[in-house]
Amino acid sequence: MKISQKTIKRLRKNYGEWVLITGATSGIGRELAIKFGEAGFKLVITGRREKQLKKLSTQLFDDYGTESIPIQGDLSNRKDIDTLLREIDHLKIGIAILNAGFGTSGKFINSDIEQEMNMLELNCKTVLIMAHYFANKMKKQSKKGAIVFLSSMVAFQGVPNAANYAATKAYVQSLSEALALELKNEGIDVLAAAPGPVASGFADRANMKMDMSLRSEDIGVPIIQAIGRKSTILPGILTKVLVYNLRMTPRWGKIRIMGKVMGGFTKHQIN
Ligand SMILES: NC(=O)c1ccc[n+]([C@@H]2O[C@H](COP(=O)([O-])OP(=O)(O)OC[C@H]3O[C@@H](n4cnc5c(N)ncnc54)[C@H](OP(=O)(O)O)[C@@H]3O)[C@@H](O)[C@H]2O)c1
């Protein structure tokens, strides 16, 4: 799937040519980078794994002649966030995709608290710092901009067996929904992309075995086409089916159902 010419024209007209994607070394971020690169946008791409980052930058140039700036760093670390923001400060970033994140799963009581706090840093605090930076930066730009948050299907209720991960994404979803209204007055568009299970590096790191996963290729273009059009997107048919089917279920019921789903994704941990 490619981004339609109409969307490319609209995005360029509204936001200019520079796109930043955090967490572009694999999965959803990598797919978004390839699609934007194919469409002729200039990119800033980030991740901790320098080799994968440089490989992607070379691939973007070889395949599409796309200019990209790879910036390596651990974004759960304030120093690396500040370095990244300093290095891109001279660029008119029109679309900022705050994608870098990870999950954990299993019984909360058995969790590694250092890892849980690190996830809170990356999924919430880093996203907060970067959203604040881009809101202020984009406000001053003539073309303004768009901020895209990576929420999740788990953001809409508590999820037993992934309690802290779901809570981090509830934070992201809530922040994004509020900013979509608040920043509209500044000419800045905000989108929360809330996918269901996607086959990527995510499941391995989260120690989940996810059924019926979508591919990153299924959701990259739908997310891009929704920028400036929607405030939340549930990309992929499976995500829509799961979320819409639970719409009429009371919140306590959703928590139990999602707990069962996550119980299935993590049952190998107790076997
Ligand atoms: N896959 C799913 O089922 C799913 C569903 C809903 C939402 N999401 C969300 O989508 C986003 C992307 O996940 P994904 O599925 O594409 O997973 P992924 O393949 O594991 O990609 C995660 C990306 O984030 C980067 N990252 C992780 N920790 C980082 C750190 N400390 N500092 C800087 N970069 C870091 C990784 O790069 P390095 O390893 O090189 O640092 C990688 O590029 C995440 O926010 C995730 O929560 C995923």
Side-chain angles (χ1 to χ4, degrees), residues 48 74-77 102 112-126 164 168 205:
R48 289 167 307 170
D74 180 343
L75 294 181
S76 64
N77 172 338
F102 73 97
D112 170 353
I113 194 63
E114 294 302 324
Q115 193 187 24
E116 298 298 325
M117 289 195 304
N118 184 252
M119 181 173 66
L120 202 55
E121 289 281 335
L122 182 67
N123 291 10
C124 301
K125 212 162 145 184
T126 304
N164 189 32
T168 68
R205 191 167 177 194

Side-chain angles (χ1 to χ4, degrees), residues 48 72 99 255:
R48 289 167 307 170
Q72 190 272 341
N99 166 75
I255 298 166

Side-chain angles (χ1 to χ4, degrees), residues 22-30 46-50 52-53 73-77 80 98-103 118 122-123 126-127 149-154 165 168-169 193-205 208 210 213-214 216 219:
T22 65
T25 50
S26 68
I28 300 166
R30 186 171 185 280
T46 86
R48 289 167 307 170
R49 288 168 291 171
E50 194 159 24
Q52 278 87 339
L53 205 53
D74 180 343
L75 294 181
S76 64
N77 172 338
D80 287 9
L98 310 181
N99 166 75
F102 73 97
N118 184 252
L122 182 67
N123 291 10
T126 304
V127 167
F149 293 87
L150 257 293
S151 173
S152 167
M153 193 185 83
V154 302
Y165 174 61
T168 68
K169 291 300 174 181
V198 179
S200 65
F202 176 86
D204 263 0
R205 191 167 177 194
M208 293 178 193
M210 305 191 304
S213 295
L214 293 159
S216 298
I219 67 165

Side-chain angles (χ1 to χ4, degrees), residues 1 12 19 24 44 47 49 53 57 62 74 103 132 158 167 181 196 209 228 243 248:
M1 205 193 293
R12 273 184 173 274
V19 178
V44 176
R49 288 168 291 171
L53 205 53
S57 184
D62 290 349
D74 180 343
H132 188 260
L181 265 190
K209 289 203 162 89
V243 174
M248 302 308 285

